[in-house]
Amino acid sequence: MIRAYKVAEHTFHLELPDNSPLWNRLGQYAPFEVPPASDPVFSLAVVRDLPLKSGELVYDTPVEPGEPVIKLYRSEEGWMFEMAPAQSRPVAGRMCTGPDFRRGELCIDSSHTGDAVFCVNNSLMLLYAFCTATAGTLEMHASVIGNSGKGFLFLAKSGTGKSTHSSLWLENVPGSELINDDNPIVRIWPDGRIIVYGSPWSGKTPCYRNVECPVGAFVQIRRSGENRMTPLSLPEAYAIIYSSCSGYIVSRDMGDGLHKSMEAAAVNVPCYVLDCRPDSEAAEVCSTEVLGKTYE
């Protein structure tokens, strides 16, 4: 069975056996389901077996505690990925692709359903990032709040307080809604629009909304004993966007595409750093700056 999904106007296919129990565990994709496309951006098929292939290790993710492990190898036929839910866990799945990443085959090596879902999600995210890099698309690591018709992306390393700050907006800033809590998509369109989209990937917080809105600001969250909002220079703005984008650059075209998109975002969207405590005042300081609203 093939099902198609559209995320940030990019359509991709997922192929599983009709009776696979995984379909019942992938409900997060339902809001994004569309009819199959004649020319999807990429497709992923889950297969029973993949021949073991040797290859050159070209990327090994820097691992933080509790974070997944992704390794990328270059093979004669294209590329191979190995993935594990954590550094202490064995490899749960292997994915092979051609040189252009447009067709992936995933073999799940674990008998645990949770590991299988992990492998499907990460394979789709990887293919998405690679195949849309030249199409004005940034797959980001951020928490996004919508308010007043715009989306505000909070950027930081895992565990620094992105989700906490979004929660403070939900509790203290009227009109706020959560768009995505970990992996939104930002697209830079040829007409100059910069739009943030919800996605079927949202980390530990289930928030799989097929919604979109113009980007209002990028805000880097830093822990501090005081609440202070500071506008960033262009090089500083580029740096925080660069550090929050997913994907690995494996070709000049891919690097040029990502650089062009990140530059456009940094030039055209206000960027700030918020030094803050995890309290209501932090949300008020941030929202006052980016929304232009004050509190009594």
Side-chain angles (χ1 to χ4, degrees):
M1 175 187 291
I2 295 176
R3 290 183 179 174
Y5 306 99
K6 182 182 286 187
V7 178
E9 301 302 322
H10 295 298
T11 299
F12 57 88
H13 289 176
L14 174 61
E15 183 177 346
L16 290 169
D18 291 6
N19 60 352
S20 173
L22 277 176
W23 287 124
N24 294 327
R25 295 291 302 273
L26 296 171
Q28 69 209 66
Y29 292 87
F32 303 87
E33 189 167 1
V34 295
S38 59
D39 186 28
V41 173
F42 67 87
S43 62
L44 174 68
V46 177
V47 298
R48 290 184 178 275
D49 297 293
L50 276 176
L52 289 174
K53 299 180 180 180
S54 60
E56 173 194 2
L57 179 64
V58 296
Y59 190 84
D60 189 356
T61 49
V63 178
E64 298 180 9
E67 292 295 306
V69 177
I70 306 291
K71 294 184 178 181
L72 172 62
Y73 299 84
R74 190 194 310 270
S75 68
E76 291 184 0
E77 297 84 1
W79 304 93
M80 182 180 72
F81 298 83
E82 289 181 341
M83 56 198 79
Q87 193 170 28
S88 59
R89 300 279 304 279
V91 171
R94 294 172 293 119
M95 178 175 65
C96 292
T97 81
D100 61 2
F101 300 100
R102 293 196 61 187
R103 170 72 179 180
E105 291 188 329
L106 169 66
C107 179
I108 298 169
D109 298 323
S110 172
S111 60
H112 296 286
T113 304
D115 287 352
V117 173
F118 160 82
C119 290
V120 171
N121 282 332
N122 278 271
S123 296
L124 290 172
M125 290 175 66
L126 286 164
L127 293 176
Y128 189 97
F130 280 108
C131 292
T132 65
T134 59
T137 306
L138 301 174
E139 184 180 300
M140 302 200 69
H141 183 48
S143 184
V144 189
I145 284 289
N147 192 297
S148 302
K150 293 185 177 180
F152 302 95
L153 286 81
F154 304 130
L155 319 176
K157 292 182 179 180
S158 296
T160 304
K162 300 184 302 295
S163 296
T164 297
H165 192 71
S166 285
S167 296
L168 291 169
W169 271 62
L170 295 173
E171 294 167 5
N172 298 283
V173 183
S176 295
E177 59 177 342
L178 186 64
I179 291 177
N180 185 276
D181 201 40
D182 197 51
N183 291 107
I185 308 299
V186 172
R187 282 201 71 174
I188 291 82
W189 289 93
D191 61 7
R193 291 177 299 137
I194 301 179
I195 308 295
V196 61
Y197 298 82
S199 82
W201 312 296
S202 190
K204 297 176 182 178
T205 303
C207 182
Y208 312 116
R209 302 182 61 202
N210 189 3
V211 295
E212 64 183 76
C213 57
V215 177
F218 295 99
V219 182
Q220 183 184 42
I221 305 296
R222 296 194 309 205
R223 291 178 177 174
S224 176
E226 61 177 329
N227 295 314
R228 182 179 67 252
M229 191 84 157
T230 306
L232 295 179
S233 66
L234 181 57
E236 292 170 327
Y238 183 92
I240 68 165
I241 294 171
Y242 176 87
S243 65
S244 296
C245 287
S246 301
Y248 323 121
I249 297 173
V250 297
S251 71
R252 179 161 188 165
D253 286 347
M254 188 179 295
D256 288 347
L258 290 174
H259 167 75
K260 183 178 179 181
S261 297
M262 290 185 284
E263 181 183 37
V267 168
N268 295 292
V269 177
C271 298
Y272 303 86
V273 60
L274 174 66
D275 295 290
C276 63
R277 303 184 299 267
D279 58 19
S280 59
E281 185 188 68
E284 294 176 2
V285 168
C286 182
S287 60
T288 295
E289 177 70 30
V290 299
L291 294 175
K293 296 179 181 180
T294 56
Y295 292 79
E296 296 297 332

